């Protein structure tokens, strides 16, 4: 089990983000110490990394939470009855994420053009 500081360092996220995700129910730590400190497992860290990868694509907390629930359902053999619906929703998330990434690529290309133009003006 890891404390929040170690998890923050490993995931390159702030303590504030991790605490906020716990408070809003996006990702709860697997345990608490006797002193009430959040304790995380390796599985928690993997989930945090999934969420961190969704953030730059502009997914909302609700969208991330829904995706995480569906991913959890797929990992749970006892939830086999929920697998088809979870897969369908995650397929939609994949399509949405692909479109969002393409938008970011276009924005990055525009930023690169601006930087080149500015550098030429300053040369």
């Amino acid at each position: 089990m890891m404390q929040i500081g170690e998890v923050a360092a490993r995931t390159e996220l702030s303590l504030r983000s991790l605490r906020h995700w716990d408070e809003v129910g996006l990702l709860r730590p697997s345990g608490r110490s006797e002193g009430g400190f959040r304790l995380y497992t390796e599985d928690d860290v993997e989930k945090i990394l999934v969420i961190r990868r969704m953030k730059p694509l502009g997914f909302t907390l609700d969208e991330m939470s829904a995706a995480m629930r569906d991913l959890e359902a797929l990992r749970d053999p006892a939830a086999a009855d929920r697998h088809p619906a979870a897969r369908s929703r995650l397929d939609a998330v994949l399509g949405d994420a692909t479109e969002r990434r393409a938008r970011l690529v276009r924005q990055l290309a525009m930023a690169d053009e601006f930087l080149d133009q500015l550098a030429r003006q300053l040369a």
Side-chain angles (χ1 to χ4, degrees):
M1 299 286 269
M2 294 166 272
Q3 289 190 358
I4 194 170
E6 182 180 349
V7 172
R10 285 185 56 187
T11 60
E12 299 178 351
L13 288 165
S14 68
L15 298 174
R16 183 176 177 203
S17 289
L18 294 171
R19 287 183 185 120
H20 178 67
W21 293 355
D22 179 15
E23 291 163 5
V24 299
L26 179 59
L27 185 109
R28 300 213 185 273
S30 289
R32 295 260 182 185
S33 69
E34 288 184 21
F37 294 103
R38 294 167 176 87
L39 297 174
Y40 297 86
T41 63
E42 287 295 332
D43 190 46
D44 293 333
V45 171
E46 290 304 314
K47 292 174 189 175
I48 289 165
L49 291 173
V50 170
I51 295 167
R52 189 190 78 184
R53 291 175 184 123
M54 292 179 77
K55 280 184 64 168
L57 295 172
F59 285 98
T60 66
L61 289 174
D62 288 340
E63 290 168 329
M64 290 188 282
S65 183
M68 294 306 293
R69 282 192 304 273
D70 286 334
L71 288 168
E72 284 293 314
L74 288 182
R75 289 186 192 116
D76 183 0
D81 60 321
R82 297 187 352 230
H83 288 186
R87 283 185 186 279
S88 177
R89 287 188 298 268
L90 288 170
D91 188 49
V93 170
L94 176 61
D96 189 16
T98 301
E99 290 174 17
R100 290 172 187 231
R101 184 190 178 282
R103 260 193 317 271
L104 286 172
V105 167
R106 287 190 303 272
Q107 290 174 341
L108 185 57
M110 284 188 263
D112 287 342
E113 289 171 8
F114 169 70
L115 292 171
D116 289 343
Q117 182 182 31
L118 189 57
R120 281 192 308 272
Q121 292 293 318
L122 294 172

